């Protein structure tokens, strides 16, 4: 549950607004979230809300900025503790799944933005985050080739898309089932299937 104290410094109040949006997104359709609903959950007026963010899109951008920073910090920490590129990929995969389980509103919000057809700064930010993520996975796969962990003939961009798609599939299934435990339980086996598809085979 997001904090609701009215007597907070500006930056901390912004963080609470972000937490509130993620909480609401975890409970229902992100596209249905209004500034009135955010203000009501925080026990504020909409005027107080707009003193921190001038528009609803500005709120959404702040939420996605928060998600991006927190997620990438989690992923980079997981990768830094790994002993090889393939182990780093596994650590990133499992860390991302854990993040999605802990913050179910985050993937709901991202999926919602993907469904928007009109261009906007928020949609551009989502594409930027996805592009950065994709390139990080490609880089690790290429590092894996250099140390003979990954099949040298592998199409790394396609494999990176498969990696991201596997995470998205697990997250979507957990949301449909409304049971976030399954996403944690199934993640290691799903990654092992990915690993077998990309790793270098003996004698090749």
């Amino acid at each position: 549950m997001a904090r609701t104290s009215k007597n907070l410094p500006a930056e901390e109040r912004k963080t609470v607004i972000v937490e509130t949006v993620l909480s609401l997104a975890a409970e229902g359709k992100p596209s249905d979230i209004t500034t009135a609903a955010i203000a009501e959950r925080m026990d504020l007026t909409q005027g107080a809300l707009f003193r921190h963010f001038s528009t609803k899109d500005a709120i959404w951008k702040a939420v996605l900025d928060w998600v991006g920073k927190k997620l990438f910090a989690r992923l980079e920490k997981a990768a830094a503790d790994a002993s090889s590129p393939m182990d780093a990929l596994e650590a990133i995969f499992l860390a991302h799944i854990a993040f999605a389980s802990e913050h179910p509103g985050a993937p709901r919000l991202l999926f919602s933005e993907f469904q928007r057809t009109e261009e906007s700064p928020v949609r551009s930010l989502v594409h930027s985050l996805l592009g950065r993520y994709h390139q990080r996975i490609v880089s690790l796969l290429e590092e894996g080739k250099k140390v003979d962990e990954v099949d040298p003939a592998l199409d790394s961009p396609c494999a990176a898309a498969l990696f991201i798609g596997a995470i998205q599939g697990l997250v979507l299934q957990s949301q449909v089932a409304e049971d976030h435990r399954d996403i944690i339980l199934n993640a290691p086996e799903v990654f092992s299937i990915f690993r077998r598809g990309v790793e270098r085979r003996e004698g090749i």
Side-chain angles (χ1 to χ4, degrees), residues 6 8 10-11 13-14 17 35 39 43-55 58-59:
K6 293 183 177 181
L8 294 172
E11 286 306 310
R13 173 68 62 77
K14 288 180 180 180
I17 293 171
T35 53
D43 194 23
L44 297 174
T45 65
Q46 288 191 67
L49 197 66
F50 286 124
R51 281 199 291 272
H52 298 283
F53 296 103
S54 58
T55 64
I59 297 174

Side-chain angles (χ1 to χ4, degrees), residues 18-139:
V18 166
E19 293 172 348
T20 301
V21 172
L22 289 173
S23 177
L24 289 168
E27 298 168 9
K29 291 174 60 178
S31 59
D32 290 343
I33 299 173
T34 63
T35 53
I38 299 168
E40 181 179 1
R41 176 64 63 90
M42 295 181 67
D43 194 23
L44 297 174
T45 65
Q46 288 191 67
L49 197 66
F50 286 124
R51 281 199 291 272
H52 298 283
F53 296 103
S54 58
T55 64
K56 181 179 176 181
D57 270 355
I59 297 174
W60 256 233
K61 185 177 183 300
V63 174
L64 292 171
D65 277 334
W66 184 94
V67 169
K69 289 175 183 176
K70 293 291 184 180
L71 175 60
F72 279 103
R74 175 84 67 93
L75 302 187
E76 290 304 324
K77 183 179 186 303
D81 292 336
S83 59
S84 71
M86 188 58 74
D87 285 346
L89 285 167
E90 181 174 14
I92 285 174
F93 193 95
L94 298 180
H96 191 156
I97 292 297
F99 183 89
S101 179
E102 293 166 19
H103 304 284
R108 281 180 178 270
L109 199 62
L110 288 168
F111 287 146
S112 176
E113 289 303 315
F114 280 133
Q115 294 171 2
R116 291 175 59 174
T117 57
E118 71 277 11
E119 288 300 322
S120 70
V122 176
R123 183 177 171 82
S124 296
L125 177 58
V126 172
H127 281 287
S128 176
L129 290 172
L130 183 59
R132 179 183 169 193
Y133 196 129
H134 184 269
Q135 188 54 50
R136 182 69 175 106
I137 303 307
V138 169
S139 296

